[in-house]
Amino acid sequence: MNIMPNNLKRQYDLHASEYEKKAIEVLRGGWYILGNEVKKFEKEFAQYVGAKYCVGLASGLDALWMSFRILNIGEGDEVIVCGNAYIACVMGISMNGATPVFVEPDEYDNINADLIEAAITPKTKAILAVHLYGQSCDMTKIMDIAHIYNLKVVEDCAQSHGNKWKGQTVGTFGDIGCFSFYPSKGCGAFGDAGCIVTNSAELEDAFRVYRNYGSRVRYQNEVVGTNSRLDELQAGLLRVKLTHMDEFNQERNRIAEFYYNNIKNPLVQLPKIRPGADCSWHQYVVHIPGYRDRMADYLKENGIGTIIHYPIPPHLSEAYKYLGLKEGDLPLTEKYAKEVLSLPMYNGMTREEMEYVVEHINKFTV
Ligand SMILES: *Cc1c(COP(=O)(O)O)cnc(C)c1O
């Protein structure tokens, strides 16, 4: 058997004719950027997460850097983010000239909210809450801290479309929720796409103007903006995806449950879900302290693909050398980078494939 870590074709096949019908409809419509499909998608996505507004953008990274730009957070400011975040989270901060300040993760692979206060300085302006792997951060604690210290909160929901913290969908707690629709994400487009959600009319308006060269009325430019427009084809296809999101998340939950009930190997630590959260399982990430690479090699030899999210933490990457951080500065983050492994997880995964993965993991010994 040959099992890929993610298999986008399988998800496509589940509803292929619906995507194909929509694609032809948009192509024949003759309007390709910022049109009715985008308008409808923005309305439907806002509804899906329970936010007042949604603005479609070109990518998740755009959503992040534009958020800090629009919140006026840049040179001389600090933004708190978890140490084991994806590099895009950190770039969203640093592209504006602001300094990322890393906080260690907790046992749920997300920012340890109990360590945030110690990282706050007079320069701190915001917390970037990254809901990594489809888990949810402790948004109650994070919002409490933000209120006490008067900080902005941006949520990175690129890996958590539709999951909830205490019944409320992530992305709606802070000032802005950022989403990516990169094809491999829980709600994936067929190319690059992203959006923000917010309950502030003022912020919504700022994003609309900023994404289109700072222009509200053609050829009248109010601010130095950018080009980050969602196209009609992606928006139309995302509208189709959105009608199946609950079904997709439920299926991923069933795969996670199968792994949880059947993986029995003392070397493998299964993911824990934070009490009060639900999980959309963007990734099913296990920890294998000491033997992660050996397990990955062994699974590969048996036709099972896995991925590491992420092997090099941002503070140790070449790109962030200038921050002056070194190995040992974030011990838990660095430990996680050496032991995490993402098991195959995708919509359309068969029972036989799940059983094959479990059987091989259980057989692994050192
Ligand atoms: C994918 C991802 C992004 C970036 O999204 P793009 O659409 O690829 O720019 C940002 N943050 C997280 C956590 C991601 O997983």
Side-chain angles (χ1 to χ4, degrees):
M1 214 178 291
N2 206 347
I3 301 172
M4 307 202 300
N6 193 359
N7 189 331
L8 300 180
K9 179 70 164 55
R10 288 286 183 80
Q11 199 201 45
Y12 176 74
D13 286 341
L14 293 174
H15 306 286
S17 62
E18 289 177 51
Y19 301 125
E20 287 163 16
K21 185 164 163 273
K22 177 57 82 177
I24 288 171
E25 184 190 320
V26 174
L27 291 175
R28 290 181 181 167
W31 188 282
Y32 304 116
I33 291 270
L34 299 185
N36 282 332
E37 292 293 339
V38 172
K39 275 199 199 102
K40 285 181 187 156
F41 172 71
E42 289 177 339
K43 194 157 167 263
E44 289 161 4
F45 195 75
Q47 229 156 37
Y48 175 69
V49 299
K52 276 197 190 144
Y53 310 107
C54 166
V55 181
L57 303 170
S59 74
L61 176 63
D62 279 0
L64 288 165
W65 76 258
M66 286 167 71
S67 291
F68 294 109
R69 184 73 53 94
I70 283 167
L71 292 171
N72 205 16
I73 293 170
E75 208 80 43
D77 299 330
E78 290 177 357
V79 177
I80 288 171
V81 63
C82 58
N84 62 331
Y86 180 47
I87 199 84
C89 315
V90 187
M91 288 187 179
I93 297 166
S94 68
M95 280 169 71
N96 291 291
T99 304
V101 172
F102 300 107
V103 167
E104 293 266 53
D106 56 19
E107 62 188 304
Y108 309 105
D109 295 317
N110 273 277
I111 193 164
N112 187 337
D114 293 331
L115 302 178
I116 291 177
E117 271 188 283
I120 293 174
T121 76
K123 292 178 176 175
T124 309
K125 290 287 155 57
I127 301 168
L128 175 57
V130 184
H131 305 292
L132 208 60
Y133 306 152
Q135 292 266 12
S136 167
C137 300
D138 185 334
M139 289 314 293
T140 309
K141 277 190 194 160
I142 290 174
M143 294 313 296
D144 283 351
I145 295 167
H147 286 135
I148 294 168
Y149 292 90
N150 196 23
L151 305 175
K152 298 290 183 193
V153 174
V154 176
E155 291 175 77
D156 183 339
C157 311
Q159 304 190 1
S160 51
H161 305 77
N163 58 290
K164 294 183 170 70
W165 168 247
K166 302 204 166 151
Q168 184 180 337
T169 309
V170 298
T172 61
F173 290 87
D175 298 275
I176 303 167
C178 299
F179 288 84
S180 164
F181 304 113
Y182 181 76
S184 70
K185 311 285 180 176
C187 184
F190 296 80
D192 274 311
C195 79
I196 62 97
V197 298
T198 182
N199 287 325
S200 153
E202 203 180 319
L203 288 174
E204 183 228 7
D205 184 62
F207 276 99
R208 286 200 187 286
V209 171
Y210 207 93
R211 76 171 169 187
N212 195 20
Y213 300 122
S215 162
R216 198 185 306 267
V217 179
R218 189 178 273 194
Y219 304 131
Q220 293 181 23
N221 305 82
E222 301 168 25
V223 290
V224 181
T226 187
N227 170 0
S228 182
R229 298 176 297 220
L230 182 58
D231 65 74
E232 287 286 285
L233 192 56
Q234 298 309 333
L237 294 169
L238 282 167
R239 290 183 64 211
V240 177
K241 277 263 166 108
L242 206 50
T243 63
H244 298 294
M245 274 309 290
D246 289 342
E247 162 198 329
F248 289 150
N249 281 345
Q250 277 161 19
E251 185 187 6
R252 296 167 92 90
N253 259 294
R254 282 198 299 274
I255 299 168
E257 200 173 288
F258 185 86
Y259 280 155
Y260 181 79
N261 289 332
N262 294 289
I263 294 177
K264 289 184 173 70
N265 185 326
L267 299 172
V268 179
Q269 297 167 5
L270 301 178
K272 292 184 205 131
I273 303 179
R274 190 189 305 282
D278 65 8
C279 187
S280 57
W281 301 108
H282 172 62
Q283 302 296 344
Y284 191 91
V285 178
V286 297
H287 287 243
I288 312 175
Y291 305 104
R292 189 267 314 274
D293 292 339
R294 277 170 71 178
M295 173 71 96
D297 289 345
Y298 155 85
L299 291 176
K300 194 173 169 204
E301 279 159 27
N302 286 283
I304 299 167
T306 55
I307 310 188
I308 297 165
H309 296 95
Y310 300 92
I312 303 172
H315 74 286
L316 297 181
S317 72
E318 189 74 25
Y320 287 106
K321 242 184 178 163
Y322 74 88
L323 291 174
L325 295 167
K326 56 186 187 315
E327 192 137 14
D329 284 345
L330 293 166
L332 201 55
T333 295
E334 293 161 23
K335 179 176 176 322
Y336 281 14
K338 293 191 180 86
E339 61 188 39
V340 292
L341 190 67
S342 305
L343 304 184
M345 165 65 83
Y346 47 86
N347 292 106
M349 192 171 185
T350 65
R351 182 79 180 195
E352 290 69 39
E353 288 172 329
M354 290 181 236
E355 281 167 359
Y356 186 82
V357 172
V358 166
E359 181 197 324
H360 282 84
I361 289 175
N362 289 348
K363 272 202 289 203
F364 175 79
T365 52
V366 289

